[in-house]
Amino acid sequence: MDFSHIKDHTKKELEKLINHPFMEELYTGELSFEKFVFFLKQDFHYLEQSMKNMGILIAKAEDLTARRMLINILYNESEIEFKNYLNLLDFLNIDSSKLKSIDLTRANIAYSNYLISQSAQKSFVVGIAALLPCYYSYLEIYQYHKDKLKNNENEIYLKWASTYNEAKYKKLVEDLICIFELYLNSEKEEEITQTYKNSLKFEYEFLEDAYYRKIWRL
């Protein structure tokens, strides 16, 4: 089993995610600014949790090569996507230190907890299966929608999207896939595929909550 097998079994979920109106409108420049800021604040929290999750996977990696690759991926994540978020927040005069107290969406809480639970309680490869969809899907979203950016005059949206066109980000995704394929085996095929699919579903719900600005309140 390789990554192409996983992709074949999760095409429907990825297509729904790629075609979500949030991404459609972001890449054309039609997305309301309020929705984008809402997403930005939620995603900042998610990225923090994702990097903590990466720390768990680094500790669980038994293969030295995989561990070193994950350490490098974590560093690049910090220097590419997370750093670009900090720059965007600064550009928008949003104090990142105050984002720890914002109300989170249900999908944000559930997705972050799902990642950490899979990494902590399941095998190493299952943890990678839960993590990979976030990175891979955003690269696929960029590839699918990138031509729309030619007519997008929103500087902020262009700045955000440019992250996923960076060579270092593409290499980050390639390295994660490489690690994933090193540990794939047919015995855990169903569990690995379902875990990967669940994360794609969480990605979709994350965009849903952002698009409709749904806070988890009683």
Side-chain angles (χ1 to χ4, degrees):
M1 180 171 65
D2 57 18
F3 184 47
S4 63
H5 176 88
I6 305 293
K7 290 193 292 183
D8 286 344
H9 284 75
T10 56
K11 279 182 179 179
K12 182 183 71 174
E13 288 78 14
L14 180 61
E15 287 174 3
K16 285 196 70 174
L17 177 59
I18 287 173
N19 291 301
H20 193 283
F22 184 95
M23 288 303 177
E24 288 271 2
E25 294 175 18
L26 191 155
Y27 276 84
T28 60
E30 298 170 301
L31 185 71
S32 79
F33 188 61
E34 290 76 17
K35 290 180 181 179
F36 178 75
V37 171
F38 183 95
F39 166 83
L40 202 65
K41 290 178 178 180
Q42 294 292 322
D43 208 30
F44 184 81
H45 173 270
Y46 168 81
L47 289 173
E48 278 196 314
Q49 298 305 306
S50 178
M51 289 196 292
K52 291 177 183 178
N53 175 62
M54 192 84 78
I56 297 172
L57 291 170
I58 289 170
K60 290 189 75 170
E62 296 181 4
D63 182 84
L64 181 59
T65 300
R67 182 175 292 168
R68 291 182 66 184
M69 287 175 73
L70 277 175
I71 290 171
N72 191 53
I73 288 168
L74 178 58
Y75 173 77
N76 285 332
E77 166 70 357
S78 175
E79 289 300 299
I80 303 170
E81 193 172 15
F82 198 74
K83 188 175 182 179
N84 285 351
Y85 264 66
L86 287 172
N87 291 336
L88 261 180
L89 291 172
D90 185 56
F91 182 77
L92 297 171
N93 294 315
I94 298 172
D95 186 350
S96 61
S97 66
K98 295 181 179 179
L99 296 184
K100 294 184 182 296
S101 59
I102 67 168
D103 290 324
L104 299 173
T105 66
R106 185 182 183 280
N108 198 347
I109 296 168
Y111 191 14
S112 299
N113 288 342
Y114 181 73
L115 286 181
I116 291 174
S117 70
Q118 296 305 292
S119 295
Q121 299 173 22
K122 301 292 182 66
S123 65
F124 177 75
V125 69
V126 171
I128 296 292
L131 176 69
L132 179 56
C134 173
Y135 297 92
Y136 178 73
S137 66
Y138 273 72
L139 186 59
E140 287 293 294
I141 287 168
Y142 176 83
Q143 293 299 325
Y144 185 84
H145 292 294
K146 64 182 179 181
D147 289 344
K148 298 181 178 73
L149 296 173
K150 296 173 185 176
N151 298 315
N152 189 335
E153 298 179 354
N154 189 311
E155 179 186 355
I156 295 169
Y157 295 177
L158 292 173
K159 189 186 295 287
W160 179 87
S162 69
T163 297
Y164 307 102
N165 191 38
E166 290 190 25
K168 285 185 178 180
Y169 186 83
K170 294 176 183 177
K171 180 65 165 55
L172 181 159
V173 176
E174 288 173 4
D175 286 349
L176 265 180
I177 293 172
C178 179
I179 294 170
F180 189 41
E181 290 192 318
L182 280 174
Y183 286 85
L184 283 176
N185 61 76
S186 57
E187 292 178 11
K188 296 180 179 178
E189 178 180 334
E190 187 175 343
E191 182 182 16
I192 290 168
T193 303
Q194 188 59 53
T195 299
Y196 187 93
K197 184 180 293 186
N198 286 344
S199 285
L200 284 177
K201 290 179 178 180
F202 274 124
E203 287 288 341
Y204 183 88
E205 293 300 325
F206 193 100
L207 292 184
E208 275 283 284
D209 283 357
Y211 191 73
Y212 295 105
R213 291 192 283 169
K214 296 190 292 186
I215 294 296
W216 194 33
R217 294 194 183 103
L218 290 176

